[in-house]
Amino acid sequence: MPYLFLALAIASEIVATSLLKVSEGFSRFWPSVGVVLGYGVSFYALSLALKNVPVSTAYAIWSGVGTAVIAVIGFWFFKEPLSLTKIIGITLIVAGVVALNLEGGH
């Protein structure tokens, strides 16, 4: 169950961050509401996951997966450039998350 909470935290953070771009500096009402709700759900679900998952592991997964997915969303939906440097950076983030999980987080 803790990893389901972590997955919910990641998904809602990704939605909130995507809506942050769409909110245009909180000048659009519904996307702004989505940002606040999304981050609220994300932090609440992350707090529930942290009851059983070590903070180093949970935060690495939450931030790493979120960062990588947002980079892809930026490229795919917002037409942001995806350079070789960004791809290498995303790969290093994923490798870091994997390394932390190989350690077992304890």
Side-chain angles (χ1 to χ4, degrees):
M1 195 65 167
Y3 283 95
L4 287 176
F5 287 128
L6 185 56
L8 175 61
I10 292 166
S12 57
E13 186 268 337
I14 290 167
V15 169
T17 301
S18 299
L19 288 174
L20 194 58
K21 170 83 171 166
V22 176
S23 78
E24 297 177 10
F26 287 100
S27 65
R28 297 181 62 213
F29 181 75
W30 289 114
S32 299
V33 169
V35 169
V36 173
L37 291 175
Y39 282 128
V41 169
S42 181
F43 285 119
Y44 180 68
L46 183 60
S47 75
L48 295 176
L50 288 174
K51 289 181 176 183
N52 297 308
V53 180
V55 68
S56 61
T57 302
Y59 189 74
I61 294 170
W62 180 75
S63 62
V65 171
T67 300
V69 172
I70 285 296
V72 172
I73 288 172
F75 169 75
W76 198 264
F77 292 103
F78 299 120
K79 307 302 180 212
E80 297 173 356
L82 189 61
S83 66
L84 179 60
T85 304
K86 286 184 182 180
I87 293 169
I88 292 169
I90 291 167
T91 303
L92 290 171
I93 290 168
V94 171
V97 170
V98 169
L100 282 171
N101 282 298
L102 288 175
E103 179 65 27
H106 301 290

